[in-house]
Amino acid sequence: MVVTVSLVFIFGLVLFFLLRSNSLSAGSAFTAAMFGFFLASTGAAGPINNMAAAVVSSIHGL
């Protein structure tokens, strides 16, 4: 749960700065957010969470 909240915060922060620098339009940001929201409700959510947890644990192990 902590990893998920941290990743959401990081991705939200990156998205905020991309929108602020006009590198990403509001429509693209909405599309990306909706894609992530709907992806989380599919069967791909489990493997994606496992991969993110493995990456975080390997970074922590360095």
Side-chain angles (χ1 to χ4, degrees):
M1 180 66 173
V2 173
V3 172
T4 305
V5 173
S6 299
L7 289 176
V8 167
F9 177 73
I10 289 170
F11 286 128
L13 193 62
V14 169
L15 185 60
F16 170 76
F17 283 116
L18 285 173
L19 284 170
R20 189 168 177 178
S21 68
N22 292 329
S23 298
L24 187 68
S25 69
S28 299
F30 178 76
T31 303
M34 295 313 309
F35 173 74
F37 177 76
F38 288 117
L39 183 64
S41 65
T42 66
I48 290 172
N49 285 336
N50 291 339
M51 181 184 65
V55 169
V56 169
S57 67
S58 66
I59 290 172
H60 180 67
L62 294 176

